[in-house]
Amino acid sequence: MSTDTDGEFDFGGSAIERKRLYGKVFLGLCVSAAMVGIVALIALLADVIYESWGWLTWEFLTYPPSQVADHFVPENYGDLDTGPAGMYPAIVGSIYLIVLTAIFTLFLGVGAAIYLEEYAPDTRLTRFIEANITNLAGVPSIVYGLLGLAMFVRALQTGASLIAGALTLTLLILPIVIVSSQESLRAVPDSMRQASYGTGATKWQTIRNVVLPEAVPGIMTGIILSLSRAIGETAPILMVGAAVSMFTPPDLTSPTGAFSAMPMMIFEWASQPDAAFQHIAAAGIVVLLTILLLMNAAAVLIRNKYDRRA
Amino acid sequence: MSDETSDRRTGLRSTLASVGSERGRFAIGNLLSTNTETTGMTANSGSEAAETTAAERTTDVGADSGAEMSAADRPLGSPQVDNAIIESRDLDVFYGDTQALQGINMDIPEKQVTALIGPSGCGKSTFLRSINRMNDLIDVARVEGELHFHGKNIYDEDVDPVALRRKIGMVFQKPNPFPKSIFDNVAYGLRVQGKDDDIEEQVYTALERAALLDEVEDQLDESGLDLSGGQQQRLCIARAIATDPEVILMDEPASALDPVATSKIEDLVEELAQEYTVAIVTHNMQQAARISDKTAVFLTGGNLVEFDDTNRIFENPESDRVEDYITGKFG
Ligand SMILES: Nc1ncnc2c1ncn2[C@@H]1O[C@H](COP(=O)(O)OP(=O)(O)O)[C@@H](O)[C@H]1O
Ligand SMILES: [Mg+2]
């Protein structure tokens, strides 16, 4: 059908070509916007993996660090009296840090979310608190580092310890965990709560048996994603005084001891003048990114496994 | 025929109230007679429990039944019954500043079906929720006046709504099974109420009474959400009766279902009235006429206009507006 038919209905005629062109241009812009991010990420990853090639060995994961770049070179491993060098204490430090942070956030974050969502009356004060939790999620991490330094290291006398680091990271991710847990709780349909109350369940029984099981996948996903952000944070643990040259992993039985962590170690190596350390830092980054990706994959798996609606 | 059921019932209930109840039942009688035999059989397992509650009940009812009804808000018809288990007296419900129920005065007779009908938004669900204090869950809702259950005002300070809901179960408009197995759905109330001895037997009994057992016997471990809408609703009924409450409130339980599923629910409601007091909201007039003994007609603005035997309401209502509503002139 074309414009020269006498029908009253205009099927678009020449204008349609122009509209289609606009459509294509817009689509192109959107695709390239998406591409910029993806290409940059791939380039970064490729560069880091290339830099670390040959430096990332099993020994790198299982030995303490060294001041001398040569100790990291796999060809030299055999000649060293001190043994190979690696980032073992920092890896263990980061894992301990994350485990402790996970425990603290689980109780504080989920507890706060349950209170705000299920118990708190809808008053101006509650809304004020909720608005401020959202604001806190945007505070730069170095500010949390300063807070941790003042509150835990100084006031509570924890020293530059694992526990101070974990508490600081907890503060950092708590707002995000609270908000995402609240969203998961809110997504549980009210009809479920009513069904439970209707059969004579108490409030706590309803929350424990109906609301939480429904919300847990969402809550877990939120916590894991927040933890994967926390594990890469350098500023807060720098502020509370994570050590750079720890030769033994931190001792969980005395959580007030000194500790090192991966981002701290990488930061230290990257600021060394010796060019060889750039490769060592790259190897550290690959280890960190692998852990991050594994955590994110776990979050996705949990979400897919429990999301019936999907 | 129905003799064995009525024998058992008169045995259980020693109050005069039972006489009224029998009369109410037989007025509608013919429809029911086919069903009673089967119920008689399935119901026997529950009779022991019923006996104890009936005994407790006698004293309460005797002492307080027939609370005064104020003349001002008294609806047309006969809103006061002899064998009342629930008595609503000048009950007002507000949502914030708007009043959803205006001085409701009516009784709900024991072990009969009471239908609540009326156009949308007239407060039927609100009234139903005020019977087991589900309105407590709505922040803005506020209740004034009294509602007696066994002669005790449930809005008194010393009444625990959780304990009340264990006596007055509820089935909702949209089937709302938990995302758990069929078994766990029915067992839920038993578990939260700590009645979990012989849980398996109780679950089977409830499913049987809800006319669902035959259909799901082989899939008790599968999710309740995998059932059809009608089966889900019967699952919710099973969940509500598993803990053996005295009253079952149903808010348009069949409105989301197809005709076949609907008629199954209707049959079930009639059978349940052998054991339980049922209050059912419906805006399906034929349904109300078919299954209920008493009918309350609410009209716009949260007013209860007329309450009477279902036969009277449908054959010869006092109010012209009720007649118009029932004959479909509005609503
Ligand atoms: N949760 C609520 N909050 C505020 N108003 C409500 C709420 N539930 C019901 N209402 C109002 O109360 C009136 C009665 O509603 P409802 O009891 O649901 O009527 P029905 O069940 O007869 O259709 C309606 O005007 C409705 O808008
Ligand atoms: Mg309703």
Side-chain angles (χ1 to χ4, degrees):
Chain A
M1 207 140 302
S2 64
T3 42
D4 54 11
T5 35
D6 274 331
E8 292 144 30
F9 189 79
D10 179 13
F11 280 89
S14 58
I16 194 86
E17 292 301 322
R18 197 154 42 84
K19 284 181 196 160
R20 281 187 184 141
L21 184 65
Y22 285 163
K24 276 181 196 149
V25 170
F26 186 66
L27 180 68
L29 283 174
C30 291
V31 170
S32 37
M35 280 307 161
V36 170
I38 294 171
V39 168
L41 194 68
I42 290 175
L44 212 69
L45 274 179
D47 181 55
V48 175
I49 291 173
Y50 175 75
E51 291 272 327
S52 69
W53 203 255
W55 295 76
L56 186 50
T57 59
W58 181 249
E59 285 76 8
F60 184 74
L61 301 178
T62 51
Y63 280 88
S66 161
Q67 309 285 0
V68 188
D70 281 348
H71 293 182
F72 288 92
V73 182
E75 289 80 54
N76 299 344
Y77 285 169
D79 315 332
L80 299 168
D81 338 318
T82 53
M87 67 183 315
Y88 177 62
I91 294 173
V92 177
S94 274
I95 290 172
Y96 284 178
L97 206 53
I98 280 319
V99 169
L100 283 178
T101 309
I103 295 170
F104 296 149
T105 10
L106 193 69
F107 286 102
L108 293 176
V110 179
I114 290 178
Y115 171 73
L116 288 171
E117 212 42 49
E118 305 288 331
Y119 285 95
D122 187 22
T123 60
R124 204 170 297 174
L125 178 67
T126 312
R127 263 172 278 155
F128 177 77
I129 292 173
E130 289 190 358
N132 277 289
I133 289 173
T134 318
N135 287 339
L136 283 178
V139 171
S141 57
I142 190 133
V143 177
Y144 284 103
L146 282 168
L147 184 69
L149 179 64
M151 220 164 95
F152 306 125
V153 181
R154 300 271 156 75
L156 295 180
Q157 304 272 310
T158 59
S161 60
L162 199 58
I163 197 116
L167 286 171
T168 307
L169 289 179
T170 303
L171 285 186
L172 172 75
I173 62 171
L174 206 47
I176 311 170
V177 170
I178 294 175
V179 170
S180 74
S181 302
Q182 269 185 284
E183 272 161 17
S184 307
L185 291 170
R186 212 172 300 146
V188 178
D190 250 358
S191 63
M192 292 291 106
R193 293 184 179 82
Q194 292 187 352
S196 174
Y197 287 121
T199 47
T202 62
K203 182 154 202 163
W204 172 238
Q205 286 173 330
T206 301
I207 292 173
R208 201 195 55 202
N209 298 321
V210 175
V211 179
L212 276 182
E214 277 287 275
V216 152
I219 292 176
M220 289 310 292
T221 312
I223 291 183
I224 295 176
L225 290 180
S226 308
L227 286 176
S228 77
R229 176 185 167 195
I231 200 173
E233 280 289 347
T234 320
I237 54 170
L238 186 80
M239 293 308 295
V240 298
V244 281
S245 43
M246 283 285 294
F247 295 98
T248 50
D251 181 4
L252 259 195
T253 55
S254 69
T256 50
F259 72 105
S260 181
M262 284 190 279
M264 199 62 218
M265 201 73 246
I266 294 165
F267 176 71
E268 167 69 10
W269 286 332
S271 49
Q272 295 284 332
D274 187 342
F277 271 108
Q278 300 315 310
H279 295 287
I280 300 167
I285 291 171
V286 171
V287 176
L288 181 59
L289 282 179
T290 308
I291 293 179
L292 269 173
L293 286 177
L294 287 176
M295 288 175 75
N296 288 7
V300 171
L301 282 180
I302 289 179
R303 192 167 49 206
N304 290 351
K305 177 148 190 268
Y306 290 97
D307 196 356
R308 271 175 309 278
R309 288 161 292 269
Chain B
M1 231 198 48
S2 61
D3 285 7
E4 66 176 278
T5 352
S6 55
D7 272 358
R8 188 169 50 75
R9 264 187 290 155
T10 31
L12 294 181
R13 276 193 261 130
S14 42
T15 47
L16 262 180
S18 60
V19 180
S21 147
E22 299 307 317
R23 213 191 309 125
R25 207 124 262 295
F26 287 128
I28 305 286
N30 302 344
L31 273 172
L32 301 179
S33 47
T34 44
N35 292 329
T36 26
E37 229 155 51
T38 45
T39 342
M41 275 159 45
T42 54
N44 278 336
S45 55
S47 66
E48 229 171 68
E51 211 147 17
T52 48
T53 42
E56 286 163 15
R57 197 178 299 161
T58 336
T59 46
D60 295 358
V61 174
D64 265 306
S65 85
E68 282 304 303
M69 203 177 265
S70 73
D73 276 321
R74 206 185 152 94
L76 297 170
S78 39
Q80 222 159 351
V81 302
D82 297 334
N83 54 338
I85 186 169
I86 289 161
E87 300 151 304
S88 167
R89 294 293 177 267
D90 296 319
L91 191 82
D92 298 321
V93 179
F94 302 83
Y95 293 111
D97 294 332
T98 52
Q99 190 167 358
L101 284 180
Q102 320 262 357
I104 302 304
N105 278 298
M106 64 175 266
D107 290 351
I108 291 176
E110 190 170 13
K111 297 198 180 174
Q112 295 189 14
V113 179
T114 302
L116 311 170
I117 62 172
S120 293
C122 66
K124 305 179 298 290
S125 301
T126 302
F127 180 65
L128 208 64
R129 283 197 302 265
S130 62
I131 298 175
N132 66 346
R133 291 189 58 172
M134 289 293 276
N135 280 331
D136 288 17
L137 306 177
I138 301 171
D139 279 341
V140 293
R142 194 176 87 248
V143 178
E144 282 173 15
E146 298 186 351
L147 195 136
H148 299 263
F149 175 57
H150 288 311
K152 166 80 176 161
N153 180 12
I154 63 161
Y155 287 97
D156 279 349
E157 282 291 314
D158 59 350
V159 173
D160 174 11
V162 172
L164 179 74
R165 291 184 201 122
R166 293 181 176 189
K167 293 275 175 200
I168 307 183
M170 191 159 200
V171 176
F172 299 83
Q173 182 164 0
K174 214 172 136 259
N176 56 357
F178 299 120
K180 302 174 189 286
S181 72
I182 293 173
F183 186 93
D184 287 342
N185 260 286
V186 183
Y188 184 81
L190 297 166
R191 287 183 177 135
V192 297
Q193 298 190 20
K195 294 181 178 171
D196 40 12
D197 313 331
D198 303 332
I199 203 155
E200 201 147 327
E201 195 188 318
Q202 298 189 67
V203 168
Y204 274 83
T205 310
L207 283 169
E208 170 103 60
R209 281 194 209 169
L212 188 61
L213 187 63
D214 294 344
E215 291 161 57
V216 302
E217 204 159 9
D218 310 327
Q219 52 183 94
L220 291 180
D221 293 335
E222 285 166 36
S223 170
L225 296 175
D226 293 340
L227 298 175
S228 72
Q231 289 174 323
Q232 286 191 8
Q233 195 61 302
R234 276 179 283 145
L235 179 63
C236 293
I237 293 174
R239 180 176 65 191
I241 60 180
T243 56
D244 212 22
E246 292 177 38
V247 181
I248 300 168
L249 308 174
M250 299 183 157
D251 193 348
E252 305 194 30
S255 70
L257 307 180
D258 62 75
V260 176
T262 300
S263 82
K264 280 191 187 152
I265 301 276
E266 288 179 5
D267 291 347
L268 185 54
V269 169
E270 292 181 358
E271 291 191 21
L272 288 176
Q274 310 283 330
E275 289 277 319
Y276 307 100
T277 301
V278 178
I280 180 169
V281 170
T282 172
H283 57 218
N284 177 336
M285 235 80 68
Q286 289 76 28
Q287 187 171 72
R290 268 196 302 271
I291 64 177
S292 70
D293 303 294
K294 301 277 182 187
T295 298
V297 187
F298 289 73
L299 290 179
T300 41
N303 291 293
L304 171 60
V305 180
E306 189 162 344
F307 179 98
D308 217 324
D309 290 340
T310 298
N311 298 348
R312 274 200 64 113
I313 293 280
F314 283 91
E315 279 157 25
N316 187 20
E318 281 181 49
S319 159
D320 296 340
R321 288 167 66 212
V322 168
E323 179 149 17
D324 287 351
Y325 176 67
I326 282 167
T327 53
K329 290 209 181 104
F330 78 93

